[in-house]
Amino acid sequence: MFYRTIGPFKVKVNALGKFHIAKAEDIKRGETTDVYFMRTLKILKETGLAKVNVTAEITTGRLPKKWNWGILCGVEEEIALLEDLPLNVYSLPEGTIFYPKSMNGVREPVMVIEGPYGVFAHLETAMLGLLCQASGIATAAAKIKIAAKFKPVYSFGIRRMHPAISPMIDRAVYIGGFDGVSGLMGAKLIGKKPVGTMPHSLIIILGNQIEAWKKFDEIIEEEVPRIALVDTFYDEKVEAILAAETLKEKLFAVRLDTPSSRRGNIKDIVREVRWELDLRGYKNVKIMVSGGLDEESVRELSEIEVDAFGVGTSVSNAPTINFAMDIVEVEGKPRTKRGKMSGKKQIWRCSSCIRDLVLPIGENPPKCPLCGRRMKPMLKPIIKNGKRISREKTATEIREYVLEQLRKMVELQEDGSK
């Protein structure tokens, strides 16, 4: 037991606790795997086949919500899981846009593992889990960033998920294109300061909005933007005017977080708030909207005077991507299950069209069927003989790579619609 000071209180904390989570060493040992992999390993060891070399690839045949592309996320955790094992691992760079199938109808292998099957069979469950959920969250974030027309979007969704995975969620959301996260550990992981405004509880406990806004301004560090929550007791535009008149030039933005049952026509509410602020000379005050937002509602609100969005559950609880791992070669010979294509493969991408071809390994670089440009190989070595050989990139570097691809995708869509 130890004690931690929280405000005016000393709280007894159990160092071990009773949270239902796996530790890093449990995952590395394969304690979080499905039992049938352990039974398979037992059979292979008894028959002397545990050291058989295989090539396995991770693919998906389709994406949720009718998405036609995804963002690969979770590669860094995959490296942490597999390094120091006698394996060779190839992967798309983290943050890369991928497709379920390439232009020639072949599933795209986002990651390839080579080595003795007995070395990594017990880790398959964890390998897939690390990619499936993080990639789903990053993809949902990227879709919302596009829907927001690249306006600022912030993640407020960790309260809806198990706290043990909140850093992973925040990192995936940020990599997907969001501009900041509210979680303390998540912000630390991505090397940024956490972002957030104020909860309704602050205003309710202090008894009125004006007192809460004043105390926030008096007590919280100056570098934190003064963003007033303006929908606790009164109409949003009334509270927005009160906030502006209270904080004046210090007010950076007002946040509308009205529950959907009281929202009415949110577009009209935003327009009213903007009008009343502008009429009184507060054109510099920005408007932020949060509360139950998803890709569709963000797309609608991005068309009007909303300057920033706070998005929660629709990204933190994003659908997972149904990756699967399949053996495609055994001892150097093509072999796989029905419905899959055997043999080692490479993904070739046209950097102009952002479209892919999947071809057997060793074939000459193809030309893009759409524009005729030479295509580039996308699967890169990340682990060689158990040693990491790829440079670890910061979350910000990966995010910038994602945003570059997203802007290119939007340009291609706009050109295609003309």
Side-chain angles (χ1 to χ4, degrees):
M1 293 285 185
F2 64 93
Y3 291 87
R4 181 179 179 185
T5 300
I6 302 177
F9 306 103
K10 272 194 172 182
V11 181
K12 186 184 290 185
V13 180
N14 186 331
L16 295 177
K18 294 184 179 179
F19 298 115
H20 302 157
I21 58 176
K23 299 175 184 177
E25 54 267 30
D26 297 328
I27 300 171
K28 288 276 284 186
R29 284 197 305 265
E31 295 293 328
T32 60
T33 196
D34 295 297
V35 68
Y36 47 80
F37 289 116
M38 303 308 292
R39 292 169 179 163
T40 298
L41 270 179
K42 184 176 182 180
I43 294 169
L44 292 177
K45 288 177 181 178
E46 290 290 329
T47 55
L49 296 174
K51 294 183 179 180
V52 168
N53 285 298
V54 303
T55 298
E57 61 183 25
I58 295 177
T59 66
T60 183
R62 60 184 177 181
L63 297 174
K65 300 183 72 171
K66 297 182 180 180
W67 291 339
N68 55 3
W69 51 265
I71 300 290
L72 182 64
C73 190
V75 176
E76 281 298 326
E77 286 190 292
E78 207 76 69
I79 293 173
L81 179 68
L82 298 177
E83 65 180 339
D84 300 324
L85 298 176
L87 300 171
N88 295 327
V89 183
Y90 306 83
S91 177
L92 294 177
E94 186 155 26
T96 297
I97 286 177
F98 68 91
Y99 303 92
K101 293 183 178 181
S102 62
M103 287 190 288
N104 55 334
V106 183
R107 287 190 180 207
E108 294 198 355
V110 300
M111 187 171 288
V112 177
I113 304 93
E114 298 176 346
Y117 185 67
V119 168
F120 67 95
H122 62 300
L123 298 176
E124 179 172 335
T125 304
M127 290 170 62
L128 293 176
L130 292 175
L131 294 181
C132 290
Q133 190 167 19
S135 297
I137 293 169
T139 303
K143 298 284 184 178
I144 288 176
K145 186 65 175 179
I146 290 176
K149 298 186 184 300
F150 296 93
K151 293 179 181 179
V153 187
Y154 301 96
S155 175
F156 297 158
I158 59 173
R159 72 187 66 184
R160 308 292 184 224
M161 305 301 291
H162 196 292
I165 62 170
S166 65
M168 178 279 291
I169 292 171
D170 279 343
R171 179 181 182 272
V173 167
Y174 181 70
I175 282 175
F178 276 27
D179 297 83
V181 301
S182 63
L184 299 180
M185 286 191 70
K188 185 177 180 180
L189 180 63
I190 64 175
K192 300 292 180 181
K193 291 184 178 181
V195 297
T197 58
M198 62 182 66
H200 290 99
S201 58
L202 173 66
I203 298 172
I204 293 169
I205 291 172
L206 290 180
N208 68 73
Q209 310 92 318
I210 294 175
E211 184 67 12
W213 298 329
K214 284 182 176 180
K215 292 302 179 185
F216 189 98
D217 183 46
E218 291 173 10
I219 297 170
I220 302 302
E221 306 83 55
E222 290 185 7
E223 63 265 23
V224 177
R226 272 44 183 163
I227 302 176
L229 184 60
V230 293
D231 61 4
T232 306
F233 296 128
Y234 306 154
D235 179 85
E236 292 85 354
K237 67 179 178 182
V238 172
E239 291 201 13
I241 294 168
L242 282 174
E245 292 175 344
T246 299
L247 298 181
K248 300 189 183 303
E249 70 278 355
K250 292 183 178 180
L251 183 62
F252 177 76
V254 294
R255 177 165 73 95
L256 284 62
D257 190 50
T258 308
S260 57
S261 61
R262 298 289 299 277
R263 180 170 286 166
N265 188 324
I266 187 63
K267 284 187 175 182
D268 284 346
I269 293 173
V270 170
R271 290 189 180 104
E272 289 177 14
V273 170
R274 181 75 275 159
W275 177 275
E276 299 298 338
L277 288 173
D278 289 353
L279 194 63
R280 289 162 175 79
Y282 298 111
K283 294 183 178 181
N284 60 308
V285 175
K286 299 182 183 301
I287 296 176
M288 182 179 187
V289 176
S290 60
L293 298 180
D294 56 17
E295 183 181 348
E296 182 180 352
S297 56
V298 167
R299 180 177 293 108
E300 292 179 1
L301 291 171
S302 68
E303 301 291 343
I304 61 171
E305 299 92 336
V306 176
D307 300 293
F309 302 89
V311 181
T313 309
S314 64
V315 286
S316 63
N317 193 33
T320 57
I321 291 178
N322 189 22
F323 285 120
M325 189 170 79
D326 296 287
I327 293 173
V328 294
E329 278 193 358
V330 178
E331 291 293 350
K333 296 181 180 180
R335 187 191 301 175
T336 194
K337 63 181 287 187
R338 63 188 180 91
K340 303 294 174 71
M341 297 185 181
S342 63
K344 296 180 184 179
K345 307 172 188 69
Q346 175 61 273
I347 299 176
W348 295 91
R349 173 159 297 178
C350 174
S351 56
S352 178
C353 301
I354 317 185
R355 296 302 302 274
D356 301 338
L357 288 174
V358 175
L359 300 175
I361 201 76
E363 292 207 5
N364 293 327
K367 290 184 178 181
C368 176
L370 301 177
C371 70
R373 289 183 172 85
R374 188 72 65 184
M375 305 178 83
K376 298 179 180 179
M378 292 299 294
L379 288 169
K380 309 289 185 181
I382 57 174
I383 295 176
K384 185 174 183 180
N385 297 324
K387 301 300 179 184
R388 179 184 187 138
I389 60 173
S390 63
R391 180 180 71 86
E392 182 176 359
K393 295 182 178 179
T394 67
T396 297
E397 288 178 305
I398 301 170
R399 176 179 179 269
E400 290 171 353
Y401 171 52
V402 170
L403 290 174
E404 179 185 353
Q405 295 172 90
L406 297 183
R407 290 190 176 95
K408 181 67 175 178
M409 293 282 283
V410 171
E411 288 177 9
L412 290 171
Q413 291 172 359
E414 290 175 348
D415 289 344
S417 63
K418 291 179 180 178

